[in-house]
Amino acid sequence: MPILVIAEHDNAGLKAATLNTVSAAARLGADIEVLVAGSSCAAAAQAAAQLAGVAKVKVADAAAYAEQGAENLAALLVGLVQAGGYSHVLAPATTYGKNVLPRVAALLDVAQISDIVAIESADTFVRPIYAGNALATVKSSDAVKVITVRTTAFDAVGTGGSATVEAVAAGPDLAQSKLVGRELTKSARPELGAAKIIVSGGRGLGSGDAYRSVLEPLADKLGAAMGASRAAVDAGFVPNDYQVGQTGKIVAPQLYLAVGISGAIQHLAGMKDSKVIVAINKDPEAPIFQVADYGLVADLFEAVPQLVAAL
Amino acid sequence: MKILVPIKRVVDYNVKIRVKADQSGVELANVKMAMNPFDEIAVEEAVRLKEAGKATEIVAVSAGVAQCQETLRTAMAIGADRGILVESDVELQPLAVAKLLKALVDKEQPQLVILGKQAIDDDSNQTGQMLAALLGWPQATFASKVEVGGDGVQVTREIDGGLETLALPLPAVITTDLRLNEPRYATLPNIMKAKKKPLETVKPAELGVDVAPRLTTLKVVEPAARSAGIRVGDVAQLIDKLKNEAKVL
């Protein structure tokens, strides 16, 4: 039985999280179909067709999916899954996937397995619980496995595929929730979830101005994405989408530079799978040093400019 | 308008959890329990809507063991008017909880259900969306702002790229994110008053819901520990290590 992956996209192209989700699906060893539901989303569908290992791309192109509302998407998906005989339905564990997929699972009357980090077999998966302080291996007894994938746990799939692209009929337009507006952070920097290097700041920076004046030159020099601890976001230094942690973004870059971050358990949950962690903090007792590969006990307002000058 | 606020009893967020030696789960005996922090935000938001004259009654609901009564009392001390406990000793997974809540919504007929976006024990982030699906209601997850007006509600949501605002007709389901509000501390007089508020107990069977788990936990282990590395003396040494040892620059 085939596997259905729900693509996260912006109509023009795929979000990076989709590539990791296809990679997770490939571990299950069955034909992979990708659903692209959007409005004028042919370009995203073409991108999906080029992913390695994808057998078929299904496209639902309709105004009902322009806003990517959970109600319409779930209604479409339930119909497709019931008709298509899929064994697994996968979506990335991003705010997009988390919003839509439980709705699909409930309508199919199956459990959802959230945020998987490993696949043991077709029905057994590993997922973090308690902010990643424990790993649970769970087995599903449901006919269809509905799964969200922790993108940092699976490599992005490459291109080179040439899947067939097939249009599918749109589902009903339930016209329930209506989009009023979006305020998206515009940035020329890499996306947090896909960045190789992340420069992240915490309460130690003291203000939004200091966050920008101290950390932006470092991020510029390294070509890094910028993140923050919950404390920095709550204090209004930066917008919510900068937050790394249990309830924010989960990241695993090659290099994570934690500047002025104490290292609360909820923050560590979001970044402890990074390859190399550097902590700069003036408090030698800060918990961040317990997970850092390289710790520098120093005043960040002196150390970071020195770092920028020396790079 | 009546608001239903589902809450969950979880291990207190300050507790460092321990995995059981037999790998059957996380040690819960003699561990401090508390209301899931996201649900506390949900209770606070409902109370603020009532204080603003937008809501008339707040019903707090919990599902689980008898001790969840304490969690419901906490919700009533913050300002919920009454409580309902669906008592069960069975492990209740999100789909089962969503079905129990649907049965209570059918009975209580609230216009709004506000609950936490996820519980900090199983980190599932499912129940609100599942409930909305079973009811056929619109949903607004990860809310950082809620404005009730006219016959609808406008909700600002925290999404990966920033913020998104949705307009929903009522009835609707809202799940809370961290920055929606800062919950108040319950005062002693309110804690005393909460003891006298009505608390009803029902069983899943009385609601006609099959709560049998769909997922079996085979084992629970600690993740590979990340050991502390080294301290470097200055910026020059840090750069040297990153270039020549870690090779990430």
Side-chain angles (χ1 to χ4, degrees):
Chain A
M1 291 198 296
I3 298 163
L4 185 64
V5 172
I6 302 163
E8 181 172 353
H9 65 89
D10 59 6
N11 294 315
L14 298 173
K15 294 287 174 85
T18 305
L19 310 188
N20 308 90
T21 309
V22 169
S23 166
R27 307 273 180 99
L28 292 161
D31 277 352
I32 299 172
E33 298 185 7
V34 175
L35 171 70
V36 177
S39 178
S40 304
C41 57
Q46 276 309 320
Q50 285 159 21
L51 296 180
V54 174
K56 191 187 281 182
V57 176
K58 291 193 167 172
V59 189
D61 200 329
Y65 310 118
E67 299 171 1
Q68 298 284 298
E71 299 88 357
N72 284 346
L73 287 172
L76 169 71
L77 273 154
V78 168
L80 280 178
V81 173
Q82 281 167 344
Y86 297 100
S87 59
H88 297 74
V89 180
L90 278 71
T94 53
T95 52
Y96 170 78
K98 289 173 180 174
N99 187 43
V100 174
L101 212 59
R103 212 170 159 110
V104 177
L107 294 173
L108 293 170
D109 192 26
V110 301
Q112 175 179 298
I113 308 124
S114 294
D115 222 5
I116 64 162
V117 294
I119 296 170
E120 305 260 291
S121 70
D123 63 4
T124 304
F125 311 90
V126 181
R127 58 178 305 267
I129 54 175
Y130 289 92
N133 287 298
L135 291 171
T137 304
V138 296
K139 185 179 167 130
S140 165
S141 58
D142 287 316
V144 184
K145 277 67 173 168
V146 172
I147 296 167
T148 62
V149 175
R150 177 167 293 198
T151 54
T152 55
F154 299 90
D155 292 333
V157 77
T159 51
S162 54
T164 54
V165 178
E166 174 188 301
V168 295
D173 186 351
L174 302 169
Q176 285 185 317
S177 60
K178 202 168 126 270
L179 181 69
V180 178
R182 286 196 181 118
E183 289 171 49
L184 301 181
T185 304
K186 288 191 178 61
S187 169
R189 298 181 198 285
E191 216 181 301
L192 253 184
K196 289 196 165 56
I197 302 180
I198 294 174
V199 172
S200 202
R203 197 187 342 237
L205 284 148
S207 71
D209 287 342
Y211 178 95
R212 285 181 288 276
S213 66
V214 174
L215 294 190
E216 279 182 356
L218 180 59
D220 288 343
K221 206 98 189 216
L222 294 169
M226 298 187 74
S229 68
R230 180 188 167 188
V233 178
D234 283 356
F237 299 178
V238 288
N240 63 282
D241 52 303
Y242 281 54
Q243 185 176 320
V244 171
Q246 179 185 15
T247 68
K249 294 206 174 67
I250 309 286
V251 300
Q254 293 291 306
L255 174 60
Y256 188 89
L257 284 141
V259 180
I261 291 178
S262 65
I265 211 165
Q266 290 78 9
H267 183 74
L268 301 185
M271 47 64 85
K272 68 187 168 63
D273 292 326
S274 304
K275 185 164 172 274
V276 174
I277 298 173
V278 170
I280 301 176
N281 200 303
K282 67 180 174 193
D283 174 10
E285 305 298 326
I288 190 79
F289 287 119
Q290 290 164 21
V291 299
D293 298 280
Y294 303 106
L296 175 60
V297 179
D299 180 349
L300 69 93
F301 294 101
E302 289 168 16
V304 175
Q306 282 173 23
L307 193 55
V308 173
L311 281 168
Chain B
M1 180 175 74
K2 190 195 276 190
I3 304 179
L4 195 81
V5 185
I7 59 175
K8 186 176 186 184
R9 177 178 180 264
V10 298
V11 173
D12 186 277
Y13 79 102
N14 282 312
V15 170
K16 172 97 179 80
I17 58 113
R18 284 202 336 267
V19 171
K20 288 185 192 171
D22 66 0
Q23 301 190 340
S24 64
V26 165
E27 188 58 71
L28 296 180
N30 300 317
V31 170
K32 187 183 176 208
M33 305 296 280
M35 194 191 307
N36 178 41
F38 290 97
D39 299 338
E40 219 174 328
I41 292 170
V43 177
E44 174 68 33
E45 194 64 19
V47 173
R48 289 185 189 189
L49 286 170
K50 192 180 169 194
E51 287 169 348
K54 308 273 188 190
T56 48
E57 190 187 21
I58 302 165
V59 184
V61 177
S62 193
V65 295
Q67 291 90 325
C68 294
Q69 290 185 22
E70 297 162 19
T71 321
L72 287 167
R73 293 286 174 207
T74 306
M76 291 189 270
I78 297 171
D81 296 295
R82 58 190 171 93
I84 304 172
L85 170 61
V86 185
E87 194 177 335
S88 169
D89 291 329
V90 178
E91 179 203 344
L92 297 173
Q93 294 178 350
L95 181 62
V97 175
K99 289 179 179 179
L100 293 170
L101 293 174
K102 177 182 186 294
L104 289 174
V105 167
D106 289 344
K107 210 171 120 194
E108 294 283 342
Q109 299 285 316
Q111 286 293 291
L112 201 54
V113 178
I114 310 180
L115 71 169
K117 74 167 181 179
Q118 76 188 68
I120 59 164
D121 50 4
D122 62 20
D123 284 333
S124 287
N125 198 329
Q126 299 174 8
T127 306
Q129 297 89 314
M130 286 182 156
L131 174 62
L134 297 177
L135 290 165
W137 288 8
Q139 70 183 47
T141 51
F142 326 143
S144 63
K145 191 174 177 194
V146 172
E147 285 176 296
V148 174
D151 51 359
V153 58
Q154 192 153 313
V155 181
T156 301
R157 310 176 53 228
E158 296 200 352
I159 59 172
D160 285 335
L163 296 170
E164 168 180 290
T165 302
L166 297 179
L168 285 74
L170 295 174
V173 174
I174 296 172
T175 77
T176 62
D177 215 317
L178 290 170
R179 279 165 285 275
L180 181 56
N181 60 50
E182 270 187 59
R184 70 196 67 185
Y185 288 101
T187 60
L188 188 60
N190 284 340
I191 292 170
M192 300 310 289
K193 257 188 254 169
K195 290 183 180 175
K196 299 203 180 73
K197 290 184 178 176
L199 200 168
E200 177 194 347
T201 298
V202 293
K203 301 277 185 194
E206 293 168 43
L207 297 172
V209 175
D210 173 10
V211 294
R214 304 291 187 85
L215 300 177
T216 313
T217 299
L218 303 180
K219 67 174 176 179
V220 175
V221 298
E222 278 186 36
R226 188 169 185 122
S227 50
I230 58 161
R231 298 281 170 107
V232 292
D234 54 30
V235 167
Q237 197 188 350
L238 175 63
I239 291 176
D240 174 60
K241 292 285 185 193
L242 291 178
K243 279 188 172 153
N244 301 316
E245 192 174 272
K247 300 189 196 304
V248 285
L249 286 186

